Amino acid sequence: MTPPEAPQDGTYATTGNTVPAASLRVDVLTKRADFQRASRAKRVATPGFILQMRPRRAEESSNAPIRVGFTCSKKVGNAVARNRAKRRLREIARKTLPYQGRAGMDYVFIGRREATAALPFDHLLADLKRALDTLHGVKK
């Protein structure tokens, strides 16, 4: 089987309404102090994970409108289980936060034992949307 030929007219293979990548920028939290500040902020527990949300102060410099962090303790399982849980959390954040997250916020995802890695992916996405609605005060 031969691979398909690239278009010769300069067009791209993908079509449709895609948003430019610059507008979907999400930075990752790496400093312990940021995680500690988020732990004192609002939180929502879902069956698959815990989500914390903290508004950043004006003096906290960051060029990204949304920052996100991920954590899974040893209670989640061994390194393989923790890494799988964090991969799944990163993916739901990547799919949802650029569209439903709020600028100037820090979000921290905390994995749960035997739930984050085991729940169906659609349930995790639905849990995130519900958690964001709760944290943002959206009434339904």
Side-chain angles (χ1 to χ4, degrees), residues 13-83:
T14 60
T15 59
N17 298 332
T18 58
V19 181
S23 67
L24 301 179
R25 180 128 190 255
V26 176
D27 270 1
V28 178
L29 296 175
T30 56
K31 296 189 175 155
R32 184 172 188 263
D34 290 330
F35 284 92
Q36 288 178 326
R37 281 192 287 269
S39 71
R40 295 186 293 271
K42 292 195 277 185
R43 75 188 70 220
V44 172
T46 66
F49 56 89
I50 298 169
L51 178 63
Q52 300 169 340
M53 180 188 78
R54 178 185 83 88
R56 283 194 307 274
R57 297 186 308 261
E59 60 268 9
E60 293 181 82
S61 63
S62 175
N63 55 357
I66 298 172
R67 296 192 309 176
V68 63
F70 306 94
T71 183
C72 289
S73 70
K74 287 190 176 183
K75 291 179 184 179
V76 173
N78 63 8
V80 174
R82 291 193 307 269
N83 288 337

